[in-house]
Amino acid sequence: MESQTASPISAELRRRFNSAARVLVLTGAGVSAESGVPTFRGGGNTAVWKGMPFDVISSAGMVERDLPAVWEWFDYRRDLLKAVKPNAAHVTIAGWQHRFPDLTLVTQNIDGLHQKAGSHDVIELHGNIWRARCVTCSMTSESNEHRACVGCGDHLRPDVVLFGELLPTGAYDRAADAALGAELCFVIGTSALVYPAANLPVMAKRAGAYVVEVNPEETPLSDFCDEVLTGKAGDILPLI
Ligand code: OAD
């Protein structure tokens, strides 16, 4: 008889995966790492831009002080992201949306790679780098070129959550609703250090969900999860 390699996926997870209807997936920078997008806390090379730390150039105060510099930084990041493609993790998660009657995908990423892989109705807690938003009337624009709002003529800014800013209205509430109703919750590629996103798996578990973490490193959530799959999302997710 051939010897079988033990699967990292437990029988319990398989059973729950086959029977769940309501699923919550929370992703962070780690899900895009294998596409070549640097993470925030993994020694990535985006930590300093022209001598300014990431949390200074990407801040609410900087939009007020020097909006052109903010755009320069975001144009640079958009340029890096243009050639980036979704990886096996994004593709697997996109497939899950067909598999489960009710799957809510919540991401902290702004790169748009989940949508590129085919996911729809993605809740983007931190916005999207490919959109802009008017500083005055908040009208959003998909265009990369315009730097004036077509609604009121004022300046556009990147439609992303910067340091010192609140999450987009409604996004967290929708994510929290899904967390409270989920039977199964995946936490993938996030250091689980940034709130309120990191609170979603906690809410889901307290409301009865089976919580599974996918990450090569331990996080503050690891001990709290029902199951931890240690490894890269692009390797692990296709096995589930
Ligand atoms: P972090 O950079 O804090 O964490 C990335 C996580 O991904 C770490 O736990 C890594 O171990 C894990 N990781 C690395 N490679 C992986 C792989 N191939 N597969 C799976 N996991 C992998 O990123 P986030 O948790 O997303 O907010 O950071 C949260 C927020 O902090 C960001 O959205 C950003 C930042 O401040 C804003 O910009 C508003």
Side-chain angles (χ1 to χ4, degrees), residues 24 26 172 176 179-180 185 187 192 195-209 211 220-222 224-225:
L24 174 75
L26 172 67
Y172 183 75
L180 292 175
C185 168
V187 192
Y195 282 82
N199 204 35
L200 292 168
V202 177
M203 288 172 62
K205 186 166 158 92
R206 292 205 175 120
V211 180
L221 274 186
S222 302
F224 172 83
C225 291

Side-chain angles (χ1 to χ4, degrees), residues 72-113:
E72 203 186 327
W73 156 244
F74 275 92
D75 281 343
Y76 163 76
R77 293 179 68 196
R78 284 172 164 192
D79 231 39
L80 294 179
L81 285 172
K82 257 183 207 146
V84 168
K85 294 191 175 58
N87 65 54
H90 298 107
V91 172
T92 303
I93 294 167
W96 288 356
Q97 221 154 16
H98 300 292
R99 193 180 197 292
F100 296 105
D102 183 356
L103 180 133
T104 304
L105 173 55
V106 182
T107 189
Q108 299 167 85
N109 300 344
I110 61 172
D111 55 29
L113 285 176

Side-chain angles (χ1 to χ4, degrees), residues 27-35 38-43 54 58 77 87 89 107-110 125-127 160-163 165 167 188-195 197 213-220 229 231-236:
T27 67
V31 85
S32 297
E34 289 156 84
S35 295
T39 59
F40 292 92
R41 295 174 183 84
F54 178 76
S58 278
R77 293 179 68 196
N87 65 54
T107 189
Q108 299 167 85
N109 300 344
I110 61 172
L125 291 178
H126 296 161
V160 301
V161 175
L162 303 176
F163 286 90
E165 293 184 327
L167 301 192
I188 306 168
T190 174
S191 59
L193 290 169
V194 175
Y195 282 82
E213 179 174 66
V214 180
N215 199 313
E217 310 279 340
E218 216 177 290
T219 78
L229 301 174
K232 294 181 176 180
D235 294 336
I236 301 269

Side-chain angles (χ1 to χ4, degrees), residues 55-77:
D55 56 351
V56 172
I57 184 72
S58 278
S59 68
M62 201 66 185
V63 167
E64 281 166 23
R65 285 197 304 278
D66 194 349
L67 184 55
V70 174
W71 270 117
E72 203 186 327
W73 156 244
F74 275 92
D75 281 343
Y76 163 76
R77 293 179 68 196

